[in-house]
Amino acid sequence: MRTGSTPKHALSRPRALVPTLSTVVAGALAAALMSSASAGQQPESARAAAVAAPADFTHPGVLVSRPQLDFAKSKVQAGAQPWKAAYDQMTGSKYASLSRTPKPRAVVECGSYSNPNHGCTDEREDAIAAYTTALAWYITGDSRYAKKSIELMDAWSAVIRDHTNSNAPLQTGWAGSSWPRAAEIIKYTYTGGWPNSGRFATMLRNVYLPEVTNGSHSNGNWELSMTEAAIGIAVFLEDRAAYDKAVAKFRGRVPAYIYLTSDGSLPKAAPGSGLDTRDELVRYWQGQSTFAWNGLSQETCRDLTHAGYGFSAISHIAETSRIQGQDLYPEIADRLRHTLGLHAKYQLGAEPVPGNLCGGSLKDKLGPITEVGYNALAGRMGHAMTNTRRLTEQQRPAGTNNLFVAWETLTHAGNPS
């Protein structure tokens, strides 16, 4: 896979993974460690035995469905909170501007630590703007917003050909998560026509999907964001094979990203990662050597912001699958609810961080990423999530992280659909 960029605040250089078992480790010890690291993985995947992609895809159906859009629209029109405040926040942002000029380029080059940043910010922000104006179109019925969304999508589909440099996979994942959300809303709700929708589909298939479909063995938020892009693209393209491949990636990565004590003394290893000793797993988990908390993440000890990217992508993938009639939430509900609760608890300061968890200190904050998962797990599935509720309500209206998360209080807060 080619490698491409990310903003300085967003991602540092990925940790290299050790691909093979050290020759000095005895065979018996290796077998025991592999059993511990991956115990339960087969039963987990077996429980959700290969459910195929939907025979008929639901549209719009990437992150938000028509019933969800209708719910948000009705709340905004009624002036109900927190939706009206969330809508005002969205339409007051730069992403809703009707005078926005797209900045496409043929090659987006993204290096580690945003060096270089040739079109990376422009691409992500134009994609968020396309989604923002698509939402504004649906809620207001003002065709100017739909035309602006189309203008942004057409500008990029006419020009872009590749992503390059070390952070290309993640950049493609982030922008590729936002584009299909916008495209789904416009193609299936705007009756004014979108002549270049086929060209946009070709862009997604030829430029974005090949970069994200095979995943990544970097930090887990990379593969999860890439998988989010892959499943969204698959829905827009109605590509059942790409959809199934994304679901398989998801099923392998989530248990390897979020730890449950039932996993045993070590976390699971992602399929194909080559992590087959305790030392390798500990290094990959940012040096954390004690595994005693339900919901601990592979990136908890890195910082909460990167962990939040992973949690958000997990929620988005599960939400899209549910709209498509293949609900993945039950498979990952325990992991997701525990991880949101654990990280919310420490961000809120509800309890001190134990000394044997990340050295007794956690960095940064989760960001505006809890609405989708909280609504699904607490609202629709009935799980008690006190700390996640507190944090979610404290952060409302949730805005955008300027990468791939945007306006989720508007679209998902208290949304029963």
Side-chain angles (χ1 to χ4, degrees):
M1 174 182 292
R2 289 188 313 278
T3 53
S5 157
T6 205
K8 292 181 180 178
H9 69 277
L11 191 66
S12 60
R13 187 180 304 278
R15 288 172 173 247
L17 302 187
V18 180
T20 58
L21 176 63
S22 172
T23 55
V24 301
V25 179
L29 176 59
L33 286 167
M34 279 299 291
S35 175
S36 176
S38 59
Q41 185 167 321
Q42 184 56 39
E44 231 174 303
S45 19
R47 277 199 303 273
V51 179
D56 297 303
F57 285 90
T58 298
H59 304 290
V62 176
L63 185 60
V64 288
S65 65
R66 187 183 292 267
Q68 288 175 317
L69 290 167
D70 286 340
F71 174 84
K73 180 177 181 177
S74 69
K75 292 296 186 181
V76 172
Q77 290 180 339
Q81 300 297 353
W83 303 275
K84 181 59 165 61
Y87 172 77
D88 290 343
Q89 176 193 47
M90 180 185 81
T91 53
S93 75
K94 63 182 180 181
Y95 297 110
S97 172
L98 291 171
S99 61
R100 183 181 188 88
T101 301
K103 298 178 180 178
R105 61 175 66 206
V107 177
V108 175
E109 183 182 3
C110 307
S112 296
Y113 302 100
S114 297
N115 184 22
N117 179 343
H118 295 154
C120 314
T121 301
D122 292 339
E123 179 188 30
R124 290 193 307 270
E125 294 194 349
D126 276 351
I128 291 173
Y131 176 53
T132 300
T133 47
L135 287 173
W137 142 252
Y138 195 90
I139 290 172
T140 65
D142 185 339
S143 63
R144 293 178 302 166
Y145 286 116
K147 291 174 182 177
K148 177 56 66 173
S149 184
I150 290 170
E151 177 190 345
L152 291 160
M153 291 188 284
D154 282 354
W156 281 89
S157 69
V159 172
I160 189 166
R161 297 294 178 264
D162 201 6
H163 296 86
T164 64
N165 216 317
S166 59
N167 284 349
L170 183 63
Q171 171 72 17
T172 311
W174 280 343
S177 293
S178 296
W179 288 128
R181 298 177 204 160
E184 282 280 300
I185 294 171
I186 295 299
K187 183 174 181 179
Y188 293 99
T189 73
Y190 178 58
T191 58
W194 181 14
N196 291 318
S197 62
R199 189 180 73 196
F200 185 83
T202 299
M203 176 193 79
L204 293 181
R205 182 175 296 283
N206 294 344
V207 179
Y208 289 82
L209 188 59
E211 190 72 61
V212 298
T213 189
N214 293 319
S216 166
H217 291 148
S218 184
N219 285 303
N221 81 86
W222 277 50
E223 183 158 86
L224 289 163
S225 289
M226 293 164 69
T227 302
E228 179 186 349
I231 200 168
I233 291 168
V235 169
F236 185 72
L237 298 178
E238 296 195 330
D239 186 329
R240 300 178 79 245
Y243 182 98
D244 286 342
K245 186 171 183 178
V247 169
K249 286 287 180 186
F250 178 80
R251 285 175 163 156
R253 177 56 84 164
V254 175
Y257 193 66
I258 300 171
Y259 171 80
L260 293 178
T261 56
S262 58
D263 294 337
S265 61
L266 288 173
K268 296 173 183 289
S273 67
L275 298 174
D276 46 18
T277 73
R278 177 183 176 84
D279 286 348
E280 288 170 0
L281 282 164
V282 168
R283 283 198 299 273
Y284 187 54
W285 282 65
Q286 320 297 324
Q288 179 65 24
S289 59
T290 302
F291 299 95
W293 299 272
N294 283 320
L296 182 68
S297 163
Q298 182 255 318
E299 295 188 272
T300 301
C301 297
R302 181 183 186 182
D303 59 67
L304 298 191
T305 302
H306 285 89
Y309 297 161
F311 307 155
S312 183
I314 290 168
S315 301
H316 294 168
I317 294 164
E319 192 74 4
T320 294
S321 78
R322 187 189 65 85
I323 294 168
Q324 297 304 323
Q326 179 197 29
D327 194 351
L328 295 173
Y329 275 117
E331 297 179 32
I332 53 92
D334 282 348
R335 293 184 191 274
L336 185 57
R337 71 183 179 88
H338 279 302
T339 205
L340 290 176
L342 180 75
H343 294 79
K345 176 175 68 177
Y346 292 128
Q347 180 171 321
L348 289 164
E351 292 182 15
V353 181
N356 58 347
L357 174 59
C358 307
S361 177
L362 298 177
K363 295 186 294 185
D364 299 338
K365 295 182 179 180
L366 289 173
I369 59 90
T370 61
E371 288 280 14
V372 175
Y374 175 71
N375 184 58
L377 299 171
R380 291 195 296 258
M381 298 179 73
H383 291 291
M385 300 176 68
T386 303
N387 288 312
T388 306
R389 175 185 57 77
R390 285 180 56 202
L391 182 61
T392 300
E393 292 177 350
Q394 183 182 102
Q395 294 185 150
R396 285 177 176 166
T400 176
N401 67 358
N402 303 306
L403 302 173
F404 70 108
V405 178
W407 325 125
E408 294 180 355
T409 296
L410 173 64
T411 56
H412 288 83
N415 200 320
S417 300

